[in-house]
């Protein structure tokens, strides 16, 4: 990730470079292409990690589809050396051989528009990428979990447990929503432990 990308994200109070792209997109300096190349390189590294390290540890509703797509991607003889070598070539390679697998903190999206919870019905037919900023990993059929995703969800479950130690101190609606989220996280993690055992 370039220093300019980070500075831009900090300047505009954004935690994700995805949100900053809109500001960078109008520049003729090539800054947007640089940001996209850095994102492609990072994404390529994540996909390589998932395909080689976590391939058998994937779980969740879309785990089998994730394995199938990543097998196709990594079978391409150009993939291994590209991902670690050149951001521009990695971006071009991923554009031609897009697996539609998007690593994230709490879940990895194996994007299929028809079942994506992040898309409003009016956008399903026209969408070729997920709306990651609107991700609903606890309710979406496109979710697969890597061990890192499961660890992040476990930490979130523990934070919710701490927040709910004294539910009387919370407004009733908030306490109800937190309990529901905690229950959904526990269910997804339990499904994962059943699949990987």
């Amino acid at each position: 990730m370039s220093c300019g990308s980070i500075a831009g994200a900090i300047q505009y109070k954004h935690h994700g470079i995805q949100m900053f792209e809109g500001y960078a997109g109008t520049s003729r300096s090539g800054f947007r292409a640089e940001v996209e190349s850095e994102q492609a390189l990072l994404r390529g590294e994540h996909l390589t990690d998932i395909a080689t390290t976590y391939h058998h540890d994937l779980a969740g509703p879309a785990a089998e589809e994730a394995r199938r797509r990543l097998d196709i991607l990594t079978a391409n003889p150009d993939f291994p050396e590209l991902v670690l070598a050149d951001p521009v070539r990695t971006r071009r390679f991923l554009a031609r051989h897009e697996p539609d697998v998007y690593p994230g903190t709490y879940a990895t999206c194996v994007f299929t528009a028809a079942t994506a919870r992040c898309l409003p019905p009016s956008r399903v037919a026209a969408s070729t990428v997920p709306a990651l900023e609107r991700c609903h990993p606890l309710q979406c059929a496109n979710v697969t979990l890597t061990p890192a995703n499961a660890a992040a969800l476990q930490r979130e479950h523990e934070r919710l447990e701490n927040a709910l130690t004294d539910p009387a101190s919370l407004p009733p609606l908030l306490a109800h929503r937190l309990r529901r989220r905690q229950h959904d996280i526990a269910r997804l993690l339990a499904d994962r432990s059943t699949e990987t055992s």
Side-chain angles (χ1 to χ4, degrees):
M1 184 178 304
S2 72
C3 292
S5 302
I6 295 169
I10 291 169
Q11 172 68 30
Y12 292 101
K13 307 289 188 255
H14 294 157
H15 296 290
I17 300 302
Q18 289 175 326
M19 296 178 74
F20 179 63
E21 280 183 337
Y23 298 100
T26 57
S27 172
R28 294 181 186 215
S29 67
F31 183 64
R32 182 182 177 91
E34 181 181 338
V35 170
E36 288 175 349
S37 293
E38 292 292 333
Q39 288 175 325
L41 186 60
L42 182 61
R43 187 156 170 255
E45 289 172 356
H46 282 275
L47 291 173
T48 300
D49 283 346
I50 294 169
T52 57
T53 307
Y54 303 129
H55 188 273
H56 299 291
D57 293 327
L58 297 177
E64 282 305 314
E65 180 63 14
R67 284 197 259 301
R68 186 188 71 75
R69 292 180 189 185
L70 292 172
D71 284 345
I72 292 169
L73 183 71
T74 56
N76 187 308
D78 294 332
F79 182 70
E81 63 269 11
L82 272 181
V83 169
L84 300 175
D86 182 352
V88 175
R89 288 178 61 209
T90 300
R91 184 180 59 164
R92 288 184 194 139
F93 177 85
L94 288 175
R96 282 193 313 270
H97 307 285
E98 177 58 63
D100 286 321
V101 176
Y102 299 88
T105 302
Y106 292 104
T108 297
C109 177
V110 184
F111 182 66
T112 302
T115 55
R117 287 293 307 266
C118 61
L119 300 177
S122 61
R123 286 186 48 206
V124 168
S127 292
T128 57
V129 294
L132 294 174
E133 71 280 2
R134 300 181 61 217
C135 182
H136 299 280
L138 302 176
Q139 292 90 30
C140 189
N142 294 346
V143 165
T144 189
L145 299 178
T146 65
N149 296 145
L153 284 170
Q154 185 60 49
R155 288 190 298 273
E156 176 70 7
H157 188 274
E158 290 164 7
R159 280 192 290 270
L160 291 169
E161 185 71 37
N162 290 337
L164 289 165
T165 52
D166 183 15
S169 66
L170 299 171
L173 182 59
L174 177 59
H176 173 75
R177 287 185 177 170
L178 294 179
R179 271 193 220 94
R180 177 60 190 233
R181 180 169 174 80
Q182 185 184 35
H183 175 269
D184 290 346
I185 290 171
R187 178 185 45 78
L188 188 58
L189 290 173
D191 291 347
R192 179 188 186 277
S193 63
T194 302
E195 290 178 40
T196 57
S197 59

